[in-house]
Amino acid sequence: MLALLHTSPLHIPVFDALRDEEAPGLAMHHLVRPELLDRARAQGPDAVAEDLAAELAEAARNGARAALCTCSTIGSVAEAAGAALGLPVLRVDRPMAAAAVAAGPRIAVLVTVESTRIPTEDLIEQEAHRAGRTVAVRTVLVPGAWERFEAGDHDGCLTAVAAAAREIGDADVIVLAQASMAPAAEGLDLGVPVLTGPRTGLRAAAQAAASDTSLSGLRTT
């Protein structure tokens, strides 16, 4: 069984659909904790470490063999908590970051919340170091997108993200940092890859749930 830790209930149908395409028959259990993102945005990701550890420990007791954290802001904290518990935990954007590093040195990252900026930049630098590559990361906060998302105007949020992506120049690859941004990539033809995390993240986590192998060094693109 794969546990999925979300900070929005909107991710549940998205990942259920991806499971049906990528890993039919995989048992999944969704944990939705929006308050973790609220606290991480206000106090920093480390502020939710204890609660994350408790959630993951409970998931392991309930039969989870691996977990996927779909929130980019708290992903690094989730991975660290999983390592301490001996439970393979993958942040949804790690395979995406590895693919971005492989695509080229000039990486543009779009985010809709400021709290995602540093965790995503740090993750890309980790993957660049692992691959022995040098990259230049430029992060753009999409103005007004998160406010639209919180107000329930999801189409407006995605429209703003797509518009921001079209304005990116001098990049080898564009990264949409958060899982909620993924639909904005549909239909974009910008001449460079536009990467999102949900599909590759789920694929990698499903592999981990099906085996006893650690996620360390795992690559799925």
Side-chain angles (χ1 to χ4, degrees):
M1 187 260 283
L2 174 68
L4 290 90
L5 179 62
H6 310 295
T7 53
S8 170
L10 295 175
H11 294 320
I12 294 177
V14 172
F15 282 91
D16 280 346
L18 288 173
R19 182 269 315 276
D20 293 344
E21 296 175 16
E22 296 288 340
L26 173 67
M28 299 197 314
H29 178 59
H30 298 282
L31 305 168
V32 183
R33 300 292 182 269
E35 70 277 7
L36 296 182
L37 177 57
D38 293 339
R39 197 184 326 149
R41 291 182 65 197
Q43 303 175 28
D46 288 341
V48 302
E50 186 174 336
D51 285 348
L52 271 176
E55 292 286 353
L56 293 171
E58 180 67 15
R61 286 193 291 270
N62 289 333
R65 299 183 66 182
L68 179 68
C69 178
T70 65
C71 177
S72 299
T73 295
I74 63 175
S76 62
V77 181
E79 283 188 333
L85 293 167
L87 176 71
V89 175
L90 177 71
R91 53 186 294 176
V92 72
D93 48 355
R94 186 170 289 281
M96 175 179 65
V101 168
R106 300 174 302 169
I107 301 174
V109 176
L110 299 186
V111 301
T112 62
V113 288
E114 182 64 31
S115 62
T116 300
R117 179 190 297 268
I118 292 177
T120 302
E121 291 174 348
D122 287 348
L123 175 63
I124 292 172
E125 291 293 344
Q126 289 174 23
E127 292 301 321
H129 179 75
R130 195 191 302 270
R133 295 172 180 260
T134 299
V135 297
V137 179
R138 174 164 54 100
T139 302
V140 175
L141 176 66
V142 182
W146 186 251
E147 289 76 13
R148 294 177 185 178
F149 182 86
E150 288 191 309
D153 181 11
H154 303 139
D155 288 343
C157 173
L158 297 175
T159 297
V161 171
R166 292 188 184 97
E167 293 177 1
I168 296 295
D170 299 324
D172 298 306
V173 59
I174 298 172
V175 170
L176 304 187
Q178 297 145 243
S180 59
M181 303 167 72
E186 297 176 8
L188 283 179
D189 184 7
L190 305 180
V192 298
V194 180
L195 304 182
T196 63
R199 184 177 297 276
T200 54
L202 179 66
R203 190 182 300 159
Q207 291 176 2
S211 71
D212 292 325
T213 303
S214 167
L215 289 168
S216 177
L218 181 61
R219 293 290 174 273
T220 302
T221 60

